[in-house]
Amino acid sequence: MTNSQTLTVIERSDDQGNIARIRLATVDGTPLPAFDAGAHLDLYLPDLDMWRQYSLCSDPAETAFYEIGVLKDPASRGGSIKVHETAVNGASFTVEGPRNHFPLDETATQTVLFGGGIGVTPMIAMAHRLHALGKPFTLHYCARSKSQAAFLDLLDNCAFKDQVVFHFDDAGDDQRLDLPRDLPAVHDATHIYVCGPQGFMDWVINSAEAAGHATANVHREYFSADVDLTGDSFDVECAASGITVTVGPEDTIAKALAREGIKIEVKCEEGVCGTCLTDVIEGVIDHRDQFLTEEEREDGDVICACCSRCSGKKLVLDL
Ligand code: FES
């Protein structure tokens, strides 16, 4: 395992909206490395033999602890429920990271952050950083209702509280997120960040791009995705070992190769974390992930092996 360490829960508070706020620190209290805003931590859940990714919401300059927010989601594969059960004060977790697939462009002259529900977590870290840099920004926090929104105590009292705009679904029309009004003017040095449920993200991304914002300036972090793993059978040849496997209609490349002893590391298993990226030598990829950019998809030389498939009959991988 790379970059793996054991961190212990030093504080756990159960916030509104079924969100546990969990502070993790080193076992002996030595300072943690500072992290870049937008980074996440990989948390290993041994009972489920599963890794889960959680965005860091603490101030990136904070070295005494890392804080994550975990939404208890009964519709998920059990990871968040397990974290809620086990992350009590004093509990230890094997973690990897922080890793950052959602970096902040600190050269921006204007930054607008959109967090939907638990998707506000990386935005809070970004807001801390932008505030420390003295950069202009606005954080739009969208939640179902004020009584179900976590982090209100923090956002109502922080140093950048005047740059936070709340939008609650069950409150008046004039305070709801209104993208024609709330998106910034198009400019090369204006950057937009969005994280939240998939429908929310699609809405913000599509609206921003339709308004003329460059795709490269609309940054996104999916924390889960409804990914369709199924499709027609195809073959996968591993160039180095010469092994060829067939990936069936309900199978994945990573699982089919694992059965033949070729291990590709996977974490999220739904195309959002990028852990399973594998080089492709030949064949047309049917991308199912949310991780790669449009440009990377068009290049067609790397695949998320946990979920993506082949558009033709065969892929040759650099394995
Ligand atoms: S394991 Fe996360 S993208 Fe494949």
Side-chain angles (χ1 to χ4, degrees), residues 169-218:
D169 292 351
D170 64 352
D173 286 349
D174 54 343
Q175 59 80 60
R176 299 237 180 103
L177 185 64
D178 175 355
L179 289 173
R181 177 193 66 197
D182 296 327
L183 281 168
V186 174
H187 189 281
D188 286 354
T190 292
H191 287 257
I192 293 167
Y193 296 79
V194 57
C195 184
Q198 193 152 355
F200 171 79
M201 293 188 61
D202 291 345
W203 176 45
V204 175
I205 292 164
N206 293 338
S207 301
E209 292 182 355
H213 290 278
T215 301
N217 287 24
V218 184

mmCIF file of all heavy atoms in Angstrom, residues 169-218:
data_model
loop_
_atom_site.group_PDB
_atom_site.id
_atom_site.type_symbol
_atom_site.label_atom_id
_atom_site.label_comp_id
_atom_site.label_asym_id
_atom_site.label_seq_id
_atom_site.Cartn_x
_atom_site.Cartn_y
_atom_site.Cartn_z
ATOM 1 N N ASP A 169 -34.117 24.230 -0.405
ATOM 2 C CA ASP A 169 -35.210 23.843 -1.316
ATOM 3 C C ASP A 169 -36.582 24.194 -0.761
ATOM 4 O O ASP A 169 -37.513 24.442 -1.530
ATOM 5 C CB ASP A 169 -35.191 22.319 -1.568
ATOM 6 C CG ASP A 169 -33.978 21.892 -2.371
ATOM 7 O OD1 ASP A 169 -33.261 22.772 -2.872
ATOM 8 O OD2 ASP A 169 -33.754 20.670 -2.494
ATOM 9 N N ASP A 170 -36.716 24.161 0.575
ATOM 10 C CA ASP A 170 -38.055 24.350 1.143
ATOM 11 C C ASP A 170 -38.299 25.792 1.595
ATOM 12 O O ASP A 170 -39.264 26.061 2.294
ATOM 13 C CB ASP A 170 -38.272 23.377 2.311
ATOM 14 C CG ASP A 170 -37.324 23.646 3.471
ATOM 15 O OD1 ASP A 170 -36.404 24.483 3.318
ATOM 16 O OD2 ASP A 170 -37.495 23.022 4.531
ATOM 17 N N ALA A 171 -37.412 26.695 1.212
ATOM 18 C CA ALA A 171 -37.614 28.101 1.591
ATOM 19 C C ALA A 171 -38.012 28.921 0.353
ATOM 20 O O ALA A 171 -38.220 28.353 -0.723
ATOM 21 C CB ALA A 171 -36.361 28.648 2.243
ATOM 22 N N GLY A 172 -38.104 30.214 0.530
ATOM 23 C CA GLY A 172 -38.671 31.084 -0.518
ATOM 24 C C GLY A 172 -37.932 31.030 -1.851
ATOM 25 O O GLY A 172 -36.731 30.759 -1.912
ATOM 26 N N ASP A 173 -38.688 31.316 -2.909
ATOM 27 C CA ASP A 173 -38.141 31.253 -4.267
ATOM 28 C C ASP A 173 -36.924 32.152 -4.450
ATOM 29 O O ASP A 173 -35.988 31.794 -5.145
ATOM 30 C CB ASP A 173 -39.204 31.693 -5.291
ATOM 31 C CG ASP A 173 -40.256 30.620 -5.477
ATOM 32 O OD1 ASP A 173 -40.039 29.493 -4.984
ATOM 33 O OD2 ASP A 173 -41.290 30.934 -6.099
ATOM 34 N N ASP A 174 -36.979 33.326 -3.810
ATOM 35 C CA ASP A 174 -35.922 34.299 -4.090
ATOM 36 C C ASP A 174 -34.555 33.883 -3.541
ATOM 37 O O ASP A 174 -33.533 34.424 -3.945
ATOM 38 C CB ASP A 174 -36.309 35.683 -3.560
ATOM 39 C CG ASP A 174 -36.672 35.645 -2.087
ATOM 40 O OD1 ASP A 174 -36.932 34.532 -1.584
ATOM 41 O OD2 ASP A 174 -36.678 36.709 -1.451
ATOM 42 N N GLN A 175 -34.528 32.894 -2.613
ATOM 43 C CA GLN A 175 -33.235 32.465 -2.077
ATOM 44 C C GLN A 175 -32.759 31.147 -2.714
ATOM 45 O O GLN A 175 -31.659 30.679 -2.453
ATOM 46 C CB GLN A 175 -33.271 32.374 -0.546
ATOM 47 C CG GLN A 175 -34.320 31.420 0.029
ATOM 48 C CD GLN A 175 -33.916 29.965 0.004
ATOM 49 O OE1 GLN A 175 -32.918 29.592 0.597
ATOM 50 N NE2 GLN A 175 -34.693 29.120 -0.704
ATOM 51 N N ARG A 176 -33.602 30.531 -3.565
ATOM 52 C CA ARG A 176 -33.176 29.291 -4.235
ATOM 53 C C ARG A 176 -32.046 29.583 -5.208
ATOM 54 O O ARG A 176 -31.919 30.695 -5.711
ATOM 55 C CB ARG A 176 -34.337 28.699 -5.035
ATOM 56 C CG ARG A 176 -35.489 28.342 -4.174
ATOM 57 C CD ARG A 176 -35.871 26.872 -4.305
ATOM 58 N NE ARG A 176 -37.001 26.648 -3.431
ATOM 59 C CZ ARG A 176 -38.235 26.551 -3.858
ATOM 60 N NH1 ARG A 176 -38.496 26.599 -5.148
ATOM 61 N NH2 ARG A 176 -39.222 26.392 -3.005
ATOM 62 N N LEU A 177 -31.269 28.562 -5.495
ATOM 63 C CA LEU A 177 -30.195 28.742 -6.478
ATOM 64 C C LEU A 177 -30.821 29.074 -7.826
ATOM 65 O O LEU A 177 -31.693 28.349 -8.314
ATOM 66 C CB LEU A 177 -29.347 27.468 -6.572
ATOM 67 C CG LEU A 177 -28.112 27.573 -7.473
ATOM 68 C CD1 LEU A 177 -27.118 28.592 -6.936
ATOM 69 C CD2 LEU A 177 -27.426 26.215 -7.619
ATOM 70 N N ASP A 178 -30.379 30.163 -8.378
ATOM 71 C CA ASP A 178 -30.904 30.644 -9.655
ATOM 72 C C ASP A 178 -29.667 30.821 -10.539
ATOM 73 O O ASP A 178 -28.962 31.829 -10.438
ATOM 74 C CB ASP A 178 -31.635 31.971 -9.394
ATOM 75 C CG ASP A 178 -32.128 32.621 -10.678
ATOM 76 O OD1 ASP A 178 -31.824 32.102 -11.770
ATOM 77 O OD2 ASP A 178 -32.798 33.670 -10.571
ATOM 78 N N LEU A 179 -29.386 29.817 -11.366
ATOM 79 C CA LEU A 179 -28.095 29.827 -12.063
ATOM 80 C C LEU A 179 -27.914 31.014 -13.002
ATOM 81 O O LEU A 179 -26.828 31.592 -13.040
ATOM 82 C CB LEU A 179 -27.858 28.485 -12.755
ATOM 83 C CG LEU A 179 -27.575 27.348 -11.752
ATOM 84 C CD1 LEU A 179 -27.529 26.010 -12.462
ATOM 85 C CD2 LEU A 179 -26.278 27.589 -10.992
ATOM 86 N N PRO A 180 -28.936 31.421 -13.749
ATOM 87 C CA PRO A 180 -28.717 32.618 -14.569
ATOM 88 C C PRO A 180 -28.274 33.804 -13.720
ATOM 89 O O PRO A 180 -27.482 34.639 -14.153
ATOM 90 C CB PRO A 180 -30.086 32.862 -15.220
ATOM 91 C CG PRO A 180 -30.713 31.513 -15.251
ATOM 92 C CD PRO A 180 -30.252 30.818 -13.993
ATOM 93 N N ARG A 181 -28.770 33.861 -12.474
ATOM 94 C CA ARG A 181 -28.392 34.964 -11.585
ATOM 95 C C ARG A 181 -27.078 34.660 -10.858
ATOM 96 O O ARG A 181 -26.235 35.547 -10.688
ATOM 97 C CB ARG A 181 -29.510 35.155 -10.540
ATOM 98 C CG ARG A 181 -29.209 36.237 -9.505
ATOM 99 C CD ARG A 181 -30.191 36.141 -8.330
ATOM 100 N NE ARG A 181 -30.008 34.905 -7.561
ATOM 101 C CZ ARG A 181 -30.897 34.411 -6.707
ATOM 102 N NH1 ARG A 181 -32.037 35.022 -6.520
ATOM 103 N NH2 ARG A 181 -30.648 33.300 -6.046
ATOM 104 N N ASP A 182 -26.887 33.419 -10.443
ATOM 105 C CA ASP A 182 -25.787 33.097 -9.522
ATOM 106 C C ASP A 182 -24.493 32.651 -10.203
ATOM 107 O O ASP A 182 -23.446 32.618 -9.556
ATOM 108 C CB ASP A 182 -26.240 32.024 -8.529
ATOM 109 C CG ASP A 182 -27.368 32.556 -7.638
ATOM 110 O OD1 ASP A 182 -27.344 33.756 -7.341
ATOM 111 O OD2 ASP A 182 -28.255 31.773 -7.268
ATOM 112 N N LEU A 183 -24.559 32.293 -11.478
ATOM 113 C CA LEU A 183 -23.299 31.995 -12.174
ATOM 114 C C LEU A 183 -22.549 33.301 -12.410
ATOM 115 O O LEU A 183 -23.165 34.332 -12.679
ATOM 116 C CB LEU A 183 -23.579 31.321 -13.526
ATOM 117 C CG LEU A 183 -23.910 29.829 -13.484
ATOM 118 C CD1 LEU A 183 -24.455 29.373 -14.839
ATOM 119 C CD2 LEU A 183 -22.687 28.991 -13.097
ATOM 120 N N PRO A 184 -21.237 33.250 -12.323
ATOM 121 C CA PRO A 184 -20.473 34.484 -12.575
ATOM 122 C C PRO A 184 -20.451 34.806 -14.069
ATOM 123 O O PRO A 184 -20.787 33.958 -14.907
ATOM 124 C CB PRO A 184 -19.070 34.120 -12.084
ATOM 125 C CG PRO A 184 -18.984 32.635 -12.260
ATOM 126 C CD PRO A 184 -20.366 32.090 -12.029
ATOM 127 N N ALA A 185 -20.027 36.029 -14.384
ATOM 128 C CA ALA A 185 -19.842 36.402 -15.794
ATOM 129 C C ALA A 185 -18.690 35.569 -16.363
ATOM 130 O O ALA A 185 -17.754 35.201 -15.643
ATOM 131 C CB ALA A 185 -19.521 37.888 -15.886
ATOM 132 N N VAL A 186 -18.790 35.264 -17.645
ATOM 133 C CA VAL A 186 -17.758 34.456 -18.300
ATOM 134 C C VAL A 186 -16.467 35.262 -18.398
ATOM 135 O O VAL A 186 -16.469 36.419 -18.812
ATOM 136 C CB VAL A 186 -18.233 34.037 -19.714
ATOM 137 C CG1 VAL A 186 -17.120 33.323 -20.472
ATOM 138 C CG2 VAL A 186 -19.474 33.167 -19.613
ATOM 139 N N HIS A 187 -15.384 34.619 -17.974
ATOM 140 C CA HIS A 187 -14.062 35.254 -18.061
ATOM 141 C C HIS A 187 -13.025 34.133 -18.017
ATOM 142 O O HIS A 187 -13.223 33.140 -17.325
ATOM 143 C CB HIS A 187 -13.855 36.227 -16.899
ATOM 144 C CG HIS A 187 -12.630 37.065 -17.031
ATOM 145 N ND1 HIS A 187 -11.365 36.599 -16.741
ATOM 146 C CD2 HIS A 187 -12.469 38.349 -17.446
ATOM 147 C CE1 HIS A 187 -10.483 37.560 -16.960
ATOM 148 N NE2 HIS A 187 -11.127 38.640 -17.399
ATOM 149 N N ASP A 188 -11.922 34.326 -18.739
ATOM 150 C CA ASP A 188 -10.866 33.300 -18.774
ATOM 151 C C ASP A 188 -10.330 32.948 -17.396
ATOM 152 O O ASP A 188 -9.901 31.821 -17.158
ATOM 153 C CB ASP A 188 -9.652 33.814 -19.582
ATOM 154 C CG ASP A 188 -9.943 33.822 -21.050
ATOM 155 O OD1 ASP A 188 -11.024 33.326 -21.424
ATOM 156 O OD2 ASP A 188 -9.099 34.343 -21.812
ATOM 157 N N ALA A 189 -10.315 33.931 -16.504
ATOM 158 C CA ALA A 189 -9.705 33.709 -15.183
ATOM 159 C C ALA A 189 -10.754 33.482 -14.097
ATOM 160 O O ALA A 189 -10.462 33.578 -12.912
ATOM 161 C CB ALA A 189 -8.810 34.890 -14.820
ATOM 162 N N THR A 190 -11.995 33.182 -14.519
ATOM 163 C CA THR A 190 -13.051 32.833 -13.558
ATOM 164 C C THR A 190 -13.214 31.323 -13.547
ATOM 165 O O THR A 190 -13.343 30.700 -14.603
ATOM 166 C CB THR A 190 -14.381 33.508 -13.964
ATOM 167 O OG1 THR A 190 -14.226 34.911 -13.780
ATOM 168 C CG2 THR A 190 -15.534 33.022 -13.118
ATOM 169 N N HIS A 191 -13.188 30.761 -12.364
ATOM 170 C CA HIS A 191 -13.294 29.304 -12.255
ATOM 171 C C HIS A 191 -14.483 28.922 -11.373
ATOM 172 O O HIS A 191 -14.762 29.571 -10.366
ATOM 173 C CB HIS A 191 -11.994 28.716 -11.693
ATOM 174 C CG HIS A 191 -10.882 28.737 -12.697
ATOM 175 N ND1 HIS A 191 -10.475 27.617 -13.389
ATOM 176 C CD2 HIS A 191 -10.125 29.754 -13.168
ATOM 177 C CE1 HIS A 191 -9.500 27.935 -14.225
ATOM 178 N NE2 HIS A 191 -9.264 29.240 -14.108
ATOM 179 N N ILE A 192 -15.137 27.835 -11.787
ATOM 180 C CA ILE A 192 -16.345 27.344 -11.107
ATOM 181 C C ILE A 192 -16.044 25.925 -10.614
ATOM 182 O O ILE A 192 -15.423 25.137 -11.343
ATOM 183 C CB ILE A 192 -17.529 27.330 -12.107
ATOM 184 C CG1 ILE A 192 -17.885 28.772 -12.484
ATOM 185 C CG2 ILE A 192 -18.727 26.582 -11.559
ATOM 186 C CD1 ILE A 192 -18.811 28.873 -13.685
ATOM 187 N N TYR A 193 -16.495 25.620 -9.407
ATOM 188 C CA TYR A 193 -16.278 24.294 -8.824
ATOM 189 C C TYR A 193 -17.626 23.756 -8.378
ATOM 190 O O TYR A 193 -18.410 24.495 -7.775
ATOM 191 C CB TYR A 193 -15.318 24.370 -7.626
ATOM 192 C CG TYR A 193 -13.938 24.821 -8.048
ATOM 193 C CD1 TYR A 193 -13.675 26.170 -8.282
ATOM 194 C CD2 TYR A 193 -12.917 23.909 -8.267
ATOM 195 C CE1 TYR A 193 -12.429 26.595 -8.711
ATOM 196 C CE2 TYR A 193 -11.658 24.317 -8.696
ATOM 197 C CZ TYR A 193 -11.423 25.657 -8.922
ATOM 198 O OH TYR A 193 -10.187 26.065 -9.365
ATOM 199 N N VAL A 194 -17.865 22.474 -8.645
ATOM 200 C CA VAL A 194 -19.156 21.909 -8.247
ATOM 201 C C VAL A 194 -18.966 20.489 -7.710
ATOM 202 O O VAL A 194 -18.191 19.699 -8.250
ATOM 203 C CB VAL A 194 -20.175 21.955 -9.418
ATOM 204 C CG1 VAL A 194 -19.673 21.242 -10.651
ATOM 205 C CG2 VAL A 194 -21.515 21.405 -9.000
ATOM 206 N N CYS A 195 -19.681 20.211 -6.623
ATOM 207 C CA CYS A 195 -19.702 18.868 -6.051
ATOM 208 C C CYS A 195 -21.066 18.670 -5.402
ATOM 209 O O CYS A 195 -21.592 19.585 -4.759
ATOM 210 C CB CYS A 195 -18.588 18.713 -5.013
ATOM 211 S SG CYS A 195 -18.477 17.037 -4.335
ATOM 212 N N GLY A 196 -21.633 17.487 -5.582
ATOM 213 C CA GLY A 196 -22.942 17.217 -4.993
ATOM 214 C C GLY A 196 -23.569 16.030 -5.692
ATOM 215 O O GLY A 196 -22.899 15.302 -6.431
ATOM 216 N N PRO A 197 -24.877 15.832 -5.493
ATOM 217 C CA PRO A 197 -25.558 14.741 -6.189
ATOM 218 C C PRO A 197 -25.456 14.927 -7.707
ATOM 219 O O PRO A 197 -25.334 16.056 -8.198
ATOM 220 C CB PRO A 197 -27.008 14.877 -5.721
ATOM 221 C CG PRO A 197 -26.949 15.711 -4.492
ATOM 222 C CD PRO A 197 -25.761 16.593 -4.621
ATOM 223 N N GLN A 198 -25.542 13.808 -8.421
ATOM 224 C CA GLN A 198 -25.271 13.859 -9.858
ATOM 225 C C GLN A 198 -26.188 14.832 -10.612
ATOM 226 O O GLN A 198 -25.729 15.578 -11.476
ATOM 227 C CB GLN A 198 -25.392 12.452 -10.457
ATOM 228 C CG GLN A 198 -24.836 12.398 -11.847
ATOM 229 C CD GLN A 198 -24.317 11.026 -12.233
ATOM 230 O OE1 GLN A 198 -24.279 10.111 -11.420
ATOM 231 N NE2 GLN A 198 -23.933 10.884 -13.477
ATOM 232 N N GLY A 199 -27.484 14.833 -10.285
ATOM 233 C CA GLY A 199 -28.416 15.726 -10.980
ATOM 234 C C GLY A 199 -28.063 17.187 -10.754
ATOM 235 O O GLY A 199 -28.131 18.013 -11.670
ATOM 236 N N PHE A 200 -27.683 17.506 -9.530
ATOM 237 C CA PHE A 200 -27.265 18.874 -9.186
ATOM 238 C C PHE A 200 -26.027 19.262 -9.982
ATOM 239 O O PHE A 200 -25.949 20.349 -10.573
ATOM 240 C CB PHE A 200 -26.983 18.926 -7.672
ATOM 241 C CG PHE A 200 -26.348 20.206 -7.197
ATOM 242 C CD1 PHE A 200 -27.111 21.345 -7.010
ATOM 243 C CD2 PHE A 200 -24.994 20.259 -6.925
ATOM 244 C CE1 PHE A 200 -26.526 22.530 -6.565
ATOM 245 C CE2 PHE A 200 -24.396 21.423 -6.477
ATOM 246 C CZ PHE A 200 -25.171 22.566 -6.303
ATOM 247 N N MET A 201 -25.075 18.331 -10.024
ATOM 248 C CA MET A 201 -23.833 18.628 -10.746
ATOM 249 C C MET A 201 -24.091 18.830 -12.232
ATOM 250 O O MET A 201 -23.573 19.750 -12.851
ATOM 251 C CB MET A 201 -22.827 17.498 -10.528
ATOM 252 C CG MET A 201 -22.376 17.442 -9.086
ATOM 253 S SD MET A 201 -21.048 16.291 -8.835
ATOM 254 C CE MET A 201 -19.769 16.931 -9.868
ATOM 255 N N ASP A 202 -24.891 17.918 -12.797
ATOM 256 C CA ASP A 202 -25.185 18.030 -14.236
ATOM 257 C C ASP A 202 -25.837 19.375 -14.535
ATOM 258 O O ASP A 202 -25.527 20.022 -15.541
ATOM 259 C CB ASP A 202 -26.111 16.885 -14.687
ATOM 260 C CG ASP A 202 -25.396 15.534 -14.643
ATOM 261 O OD1 ASP A 202 -24.158 15.512 -14.541
ATOM 262 O OD2 ASP A 202 -26.095 14.501 -14.694
ATOM 263 N N TRP A 203 -26.740 19.785 -13.665
ATOM 264 C CA TRP A 203 -27.459 21.052 -13.862
ATOM 265 C C TRP A 203 -26.479 22.229 -13.855
ATOM 266 O O TRP A 203 -26.489 23.077 -14.744
ATOM 267 C CB TRP A 203 -28.516 21.179 -12.747
ATOM 268 C CG TRP A 203 -29.290 22.446 -12.728
ATOM 269 C CD1 TRP A 203 -29.858 23.077 -13.799
ATOM 270 C CD2 TRP A 203 -29.591 23.244 -11.573
ATOM 271 N NE1 TRP A 203 -30.494 24.226 -13.367
ATOM 272 C CE2 TRP A 203 -30.344 24.345 -12.025
ATOM 273 C CE3 TRP A 203 -29.301 23.124 -10.216
ATOM 274 C CZ2 TRP A 203 -30.816 25.322 -11.150
ATOM 275 C CZ3 TRP A 203 -29.779 24.102 -9.336
ATOM 276 C CH2 TRP A 203 -30.519 25.186 -9.808
ATOM 277 N N VAL A 204 -25.604 22.264 -12.838
ATOM 278 C CA VAL A 204 -24.659 23.382 -12.743
ATOM 279 C C VAL A 204 -23.679 23.350 -13.923
ATOM 280 O O VAL A 204 -23.422 24.374 -14.570
ATOM 281 C CB VAL A 204 -23.906 23.356 -11.389
ATOM 282 C CG1 VAL A 204 -22.834 24.447 -11.354
ATOM 283 C CG2 VAL A 204 -24.884 23.525 -10.224
ATOM 284 N N ILE A 205 -23.138 22.164 -14.210
ATOM 285 C CA ILE A 205 -22.128 22.063 -15.281
ATOM 286 C C ILE A 205 -22.744 22.451 -16.628
ATOM 287 O O ILE A 205 -22.182 23.256 -17.379
ATOM 288 C CB ILE A 205 -21.564 20.618 -15.337
ATOM 289 C CG1 ILE A 205 -20.736 20.329 -14.078
ATOM 290 C CG2 ILE A 205 -20.719 20.413 -16.593
ATOM 291 C CD1 ILE A 205 -20.457 18.854 -13.847
ATOM 292 N N ASN A 206 -23.906 21.882 -16.925
ATOM 293 C CA ASN A 206 -24.530 22.168 -18.225
ATOM 294 C C ASN A 206 -24.905 23.653 -18.343
ATOM 295 O O ASN A 206 -24.730 24.260 -19.401
ATOM 296 C CB ASN A 206 -25.776 21.295 -18.447
ATOM 297 C CG ASN A 206 -25.395 19.832 -18.582
ATOM 298 O OD1 ASN A 206 -24.245 19.512 -18.912
ATOM 299 N ND2 ASN A 206 -26.322 18.933 -18.317
ATOM 300 N N SER A 207 -25.401 24.220 -17.248
ATOM 301 C CA SER A 207 -25.782 25.636 -17.291
ATOM 302 C C SER A 207 -24.547 26.516 -17.473
ATOM 303 O O SER A 207 -24.573 27.498 -18.221
ATOM 304 C CB SER A 207 -26.503 26.044 -16.004
ATOM 305 O OG SER A 207 -27.648 25.255 -15.818
ATOM 306 N N ALA A 208 -23.471 26.175 -16.763
ATOM 307 C CA ALA A 208 -22.251 26.988 -16.859
ATOM 308 C C ALA A 208 -21.668 26.904 -18.275
ATOM 309 O O ALA A 208 -21.274 27.927 -18.859
ATOM 310 C CB ALA A 208 -21.226 26.508 -15.832
ATOM 311 N N GLU A 209 -21.661 25.705 -18.821
ATOM 312 C CA GLU A 209 -21.098 25.563 -20.168
ATOM 313 C C GLU A 209 -22.003 26.230 -21.208
ATOM 314 O O GLU A 209 -21.514 26.869 -22.138
ATOM 315 C CB GLU A 209 -20.839 24.084 -20.471
ATOM 316 C CG GLU A 209 -19.701 23.551 -19.582
ATOM 317 C CD GLU A 209 -19.325 22.100 -19.841
ATOM 318 O OE1 GLU A 209 -20.003 21.434 -20.653
ATOM 319 O OE2 GLU A 209 -18.359 21.645 -19.212
ATOM 320 N N ALA A 210 -23.313 26.102 -21.012
ATOM 321 C CA ALA A 210 -24.244 26.749 -21.952
ATOM 322 C C ALA A 210 -24.111 28.272 -21.876
ATOM 323 O O ALA A 210 -24.316 28.969 -22.872
ATOM 324 C CB ALA A 210 -25.682 26.329 -21.633
ATOM 325 N N ALA A 211 -23.740 28.785 -20.696
ATOM 326 C CA ALA A 211 -23.572 30.232 -20.543
ATOM 327 C C ALA A 211 -22.261 30.714 -21.159
ATOM 328 O O ALA A 211 -22.021 31.917 -21.229
ATOM 329 C CB ALA A 211 -23.636 30.606 -19.063
ATOM 330 N N GLY A 212 -21.402 29.772 -21.551
ATOM 331 C CA GLY A 212 -20.162 30.167 -22.224
ATOM 332 C C GLY A 212 -18.894 29.924 -21.436
ATOM 333 O O GLY A 212 -17.795 30.247 -21.900
ATOM 334 N N HIS A 213 -18.999 29.357 -20.227
ATOM 335 C CA HIS A 213 -17.787 29.054 -19.456
ATOM 336 C C HIS A 213 -17.056 27.885 -20.108
ATOM 337 O O HIS A 213 -17.678 26.883 -20.492
ATOM 338 C CB HIS A 213 -18.149 28.704 -18.001
ATOM 339 C CG HIS A 213 -18.642 29.880 -17.225
ATOM 340 N ND1 HIS A 213 -17.795 30.790 -16.647
ATOM 341 C CD2 HIS A 213 -19.903 30.320 -16.972
ATOM 342 C CE1 HIS A 213 -18.509 31.745 -16.055
ATOM 343 N NE2 HIS A 213 -19.796 31.486 -16.244
ATOM 344 N N ALA A 214 -15.737 28.018 -20.209
ATOM 345 C CA ALA A 214 -14.944 26.959 -20.824
ATOM 346 C C ALA A 214 -15.023 25.703 -19.956
ATOM 347 O O ALA A 214 -14.994 25.796 -18.721
ATOM 348 C CB ALA A 214 -13.488 27.408 -20.945
ATOM 349 N N THR A 215 -15.103 24.545 -20.610
ATOM 350 C CA THR A 215 -15.181 23.281 -19.858
ATOM 351 C C THR A 215 -14.027 23.173 -18.865
ATOM 352 O O THR A 215 -14.200 22.702 -17.738
ATOM 353 C CB THR A 215 -15.137 22.098 -20.851
ATOM 354 O OG1 THR A 215 -16.241 22.256 -21.739
ATOM 355 C CG2 THR A 215 -15.254 20.764 -20.151
ATOM 356 N N ALA A 216 -12.851 23.623 -19.278
ATOM 357 C CA ALA A 216 -11.673 23.517 -18.412
ATOM 358 C C ALA A 216 -11.790 24.398 -17.169
ATOM 359 O O ALA A 216 -11.054 24.197 -16.197
ATOM 360 C CB ALA A 216 -10.422 23.895 -19.194
ATOM 361 N N ASN A 217 -12.697 25.366 -17.188
ATOM 362 C CA ASN A 217 -12.869 26.251 -16.026
ATOM 363 C C ASN A 217 -14.015 25.797 -15.122
ATOM 364 O O ASN A 217 -14.286 26.434 -14.113
ATOM 365 C CB ASN A 217 -13.143 27.692 -16.485
ATOM 366 C CG ASN A 217 -11.904 28.348 -17.039
ATOM 367 O OD1 ASN A 217 -10.988 27.659 -17.488
ATOM 368 N ND2 ASN A 217 -11.864 29.664 -17.015
ATOM 369 N N VAL A 218 -14.696 24.728 -15.526
ATOM 370 C CA VAL A 218 -15.818 24.211 -14.720
ATOM 371 C C VAL A 218 -15.341 22.899 -14.098
ATOM 372 O O VAL A 218 -15.359 21.846 -14.738
ATOM 373 C CB VAL A 218 -17.088 24.006 -15.585
ATOM 374 C CG1 VAL A 218 -18.248 23.556 -14.708
ATOM 375 C CG2 VAL A 218 -17.443 25.291 -16.340
#
